[in-house]
Amino acid sequence: MHIQIAVVAIALMLANGENPEALAESQSYTDNGAGSIVTPKPTLQIEGGYAKYGDYIGATPVDAQSVEFSQRIVKNIEIHFINNKDELLDDKGQPIKGRTQKDFIISLLKLKPGQVFREDLLKADLQRLRRLESFNQVNVYRQEDTSSVNLIYEIKERSFPSLILGGGDNDDVGLYGRVGYKDANISGLNDKLDTTVQISGKDVQFNGQFTSRYRPEEPNRLGYTIRAFRNRNISGTFNEDIRLSNGDRVREGRFGGSVGVLRSFDEWDTSVSLNYTRISLRDGEYNVAQVDSLGSPLSVSGTGIDDLFTVSFAVSRDQRDRRENPTQGSILTLSTEQAIPIGLGNISSNRLKGNYIQYLPVSWIGNGKLTENPEMLAINFQIGTIIGDFPPADAFNIGGLDSVRGYDYGKVASGRSYGLASVEYRFPIVKSIGGVLFTDFASDFGSSESVLGEPGVLRNKPGSGFGYGLGLRVKSSFGLIRGDLGISDQGEVRFEVTTGQRF
């Protein structure tokens, strides 16, 4: 009897211009467990009075002369919040209340009530939510019957707002205190405010940025970002090998701001910004310096101060499976920044950059289970160049904790162009501690000679460099703490501690 029904059903599909191969092409996608996407090969099944072909479900009449097929429909979507104990209810037995507006969350989803259920869309929605900075954990569960699917999202939010207190001692300003405030979920819409103020006996520095993201449910409204900053530090371009005439190391001060608009197109995020930065080179007392001890210029204007008025455009595509410690996926960012000849230096140039990161899951020492420090390969390629005149302090400085480890900041090169390649093997050690084996290589492609005053050439920077080493990653209540022991191809060994992954 079952064979007869199958033959009749297939015959009817062929008669209606549909065949099993065509139906197979229309099915949803599923994950094969290894991170790749495969197309299922559905078969016709008759069970309990229902005929099933892939995602198609239909009732079979008693005479079994025809089968009417339909796809499962998303009936309802529920948003539940959980606390740090993974509980859905509070001490009073009431549902946990989240800061994020539920309508905002649903607006980010491609798979909505009333649509045909598709596995690939569900996976994409889950990854999109996991990439939001305001969420610490996102899971989705399904309640299914023969014709419909209910989707239940369980979300654990991060603790915002957060207040960060710190301090220290450095070669420039001496003792300092720092206070920071951060909230990545203002008004429950994932708007973000990030501010830091640093006070010392020599200076007050600050960095503040507010971002209101683009919202798909309001397509006529652009997102926007506003930033203001003032900072100073020992120059990475003009390092201590050649100092000022009074023996001081060159200090580099910057202040300015930017205003930008944000828009998303499918999986691409774009931004257009107007930016202003004043770069000044100074001595230990913060007096402006025009040349170094060799008489080489420190600025395009010759005054020790350059103004950069720029228009920038950036586009990025984020396909990571989650924001922090992703296990797979990639992120690509391309940008161009055009300087307008206004202000000191009358600078006209274009700065081009590309940055690509790929995350590849591996199971060399473990079983591939998802952990706080997942086992994986992380690969990063960067490239950049500047067309036209530019301040030497704005050259691409290669070397340091976020470049070629084992070198101090800017010790590899200060060039017009650069390329950087980094590979990390990340692996778990215990629950909250992971390890990293890494290698970095970068080059200025011989472009240091085209930088005004040739600061990299005069300071005997090699122009290319290679580093390797190992590190620890510790998950703490303050975020991920990173410690890297790097060894350069020049034999220099450096151990540095900071926060967050290298990439």
Side-chain angles (χ1 to χ4, degrees):
M1 182 62 179
H2 288 186
I3 295 176
Q4 178 186 0
I5 294 175
V7 172
V8 171
I10 293 174
L12 286 172
M13 287 186 285
L14 290 173
N16 291 328
E18 296 177 336
N19 56 63
E21 287 77 16
L23 281 176
E25 292 177 357
S26 71
Q27 299 306 299
S28 63
Y29 297 109
T30 58
D31 197 319
N32 68 357
S36 60
I37 303 299
V38 298
T39 304
K41 296 180 179 179
T43 59
L44 186 67
Q45 298 175 345
I46 307 298
E47 296 178 358
Y50 286 91
K52 181 177 181 182
Y53 186 86
D55 282 341
Y56 289 85
I57 305 293
T60 60
V62 176
D63 60 6
Q65 296 302 307
S66 64
V67 181
E68 182 179 353
F69 285 88
S70 63
Q71 283 187 311
R72 289 177 297 169
I73 302 298
V74 177
K75 184 178 181 181
N76 190 32
I77 294 179
E78 298 179 18
I79 306 296
H80 297 164
F81 294 100
I82 59 177
N83 58 21
N84 291 330
K85 299 179 181 179
D86 295 332
E87 298 171 336
L88 291 168
L89 303 177
D90 59 21
D91 295 337
K92 298 180 180 179
Q94 298 298 315
I96 300 295
K97 293 183 179 180
R99 293 185 66 199
T100 311
Q101 295 184 24
K102 293 184 178 181
D103 289 343
F104 168 75
I105 297 173
I106 293 177
S107 72
L108 299 177
L109 305 178
K110 298 294 185 181
L111 192 58
K112 299 181 185 297
Q115 295 180 341
V116 174
F117 175 79
R118 285 175 51 186
E119 195 80 38
D120 59 328
L121 290 183
L122 178 63
K123 180 179 178 180
D125 285 342
L126 186 61
Q127 293 179 353
R128 190 176 298 107
L129 294 182
R130 284 175 172 172
R131 290 195 294 263
L132 293 179
E133 189 174 357
S134 59
F135 294 161
N136 186 52
Q137 177 181 313
V138 182
N139 293 309
V140 62
Y141 303 94
R142 289 180 279 187
Q143 294 178 341
E144 307 177 59
D145 57 31
T146 56
S147 60
S148 65
V149 181
N150 291 327
L151 300 178
I152 302 172
Y153 286 89
E154 289 189 0
I155 297 174
K156 181 188 295 185
E157 296 179 308
R158 296 188 187 279
S159 298
F160 286 117
S162 60
L163 184 67
I164 303 172
L165 301 175
D169 182 19
N170 66 30
D171 295 337
D172 181 20
V173 298
L175 293 173
Y176 66 88
R178 181 180 297 160
V179 59
Y181 176 87
K182 183 176 182 178
D183 190 349
N185 197 10
I186 297 175
S187 300
L189 297 171
N190 276 232
D191 289 348
K192 180 179 177 180
L193 176 64
D194 195 348
T195 61
T196 302
V197 177
Q198 178 177 300
I199 301 175
S200 68
K202 291 187 175 181
D203 203 2
V204 175
Q205 304 176 46
F206 60 86
N207 189 353
Q209 184 169 356
F210 177 79
T211 301
S212 179
R213 58 174 293 146
Y214 173 75
R215 300 166 194 160
E217 75 277 15
E218 301 178 45
N220 295 325
R221 171 195 178 276
L222 294 175
Y224 63 92
T225 182
I226 303 172
R227 183 190 177 207
F229 61 90
R230 182 178 189 273
N231 56 59
R232 58 177 274 178
N233 212 331
I234 301 295
S235 176
T237 302
F238 306 100
N239 61 24
E240 68 272 14
D241 293 339
I242 297 176
R243 304 195 174 198
L244 298 174
S245 57
N246 63 1
D248 285 350
R249 298 170 68 180
V250 181
R251 270 72 174 173
E252 186 178 307
R254 293 175 181 248
F255 81 87
S258 64
V259 177
V261 293
L262 313 174
R263 180 73 159 84
S264 297
F265 300 91
D266 293 327
E267 296 299 320
W268 293 91
D269 298 321
T270 63
S271 66
V272 179
S273 301
L274 297 175
N275 319 282
Y276 169 71
T277 303
R278 166 160 285 195
I279 304 174
S280 60
L281 291 309
R282 301 172 182 266
D283 62 17
E285 299 302 320
Y286 223 47
N287 299 312
V288 176
Q290 299 177 0
V291 297
D292 62 21
S293 60
L294 297 180
S296 300
L298 302 180
S299 64
V300 174
S301 69
T303 65
I305 300 175
D306 286 327
D307 290 322
L308 278 174
F309 288 90
T310 66
V311 178
S312 61
F313 172 76
V315 58
S316 66
R317 188 178 189 185
D318 189 346
Q319 294 183 301
R320 297 172 295 176
D321 62 344
R322 58 185 187 184
R323 185 180 182 88
E324 291 191 359
N325 284 339
T327 63
Q328 60 183 342
S330 64
I331 179 169
L332 171 67
T333 304
L334 303 172
S335 66
T336 177
E337 186 173 9
Q338 177 65 48
I340 304 170
I342 302 174
L344 291 174
N346 200 36
I347 297 168
S348 177
S349 63
N350 191 275
R351 188 181 186 95
L352 299 165
K353 290 184 66 177
N355 189 355
Y356 177 74
I357 304 172
Q358 178 71 55
Y359 302 97
L360 302 170
V362 297
S363 300
W364 295 342
I365 64 173
N367 55 13
K369 293 179 64 177
L370 189 63
T371 67
E372 293 180 355
N373 295 284
E375 185 182 4
M376 61 178 299
L377 282 177
I379 304 169
N380 179 216
F381 296 106
Q382 298 180 30
I383 193 167
T385 191
I386 305 173
I387 302 170
D389 297 329
F390 62 95
D394 216 32
F396 291 112
N397 289 313
I398 306 172
L401 187 59
D402 294 321
S403 178
V404 180
R405 286 162 282 192
Y407 281 89
D408 197 1
Y409 174 62
K411 284 295 189 72
V412 174
S414 295
R416 175 184 292 271
S417 305
Y418 86 107
L420 170 67
S422 297
V423 179
E424 290 189 350
Y425 168 55
R426 303 173 183 173
F427 55 92
I429 298 178
V430 295
K431 179 177 174 58
S432 60
I433 300 177
V436 173
L437 299 176
F438 62 82
T439 182
D440 309 310
F441 174 78
S443 173
D444 68 352
F445 305 120
S447 66
S448 290
E449 296 180 356
S450 65
V451 178
L452 179 65
E454 300 184 357
V457 176
L458 294 176
R459 288 160 178 80
N460 297 314
K461 299 182 181 182
S464 62
F466 172 78
Y468 61 94
L470 52 87
L472 287 177
R473 304 292 184 264
V474 180
K475 186 175 182 180
S476 70
S477 57
F478 302 102
L480 188 71
I481 299 175
R482 168 163 64 109
D484 284 335
L485 177 67
I487 304 171
S488 74
D489 55 350
Q490 302 286 329
E492 185 178 0
V493 179
R494 297 182 62 85
F495 179 74
E496 298 180 276
V497 178
T498 184
T499 58
Q501 293 282 11
R502 156 74 173 77
F503 55 90

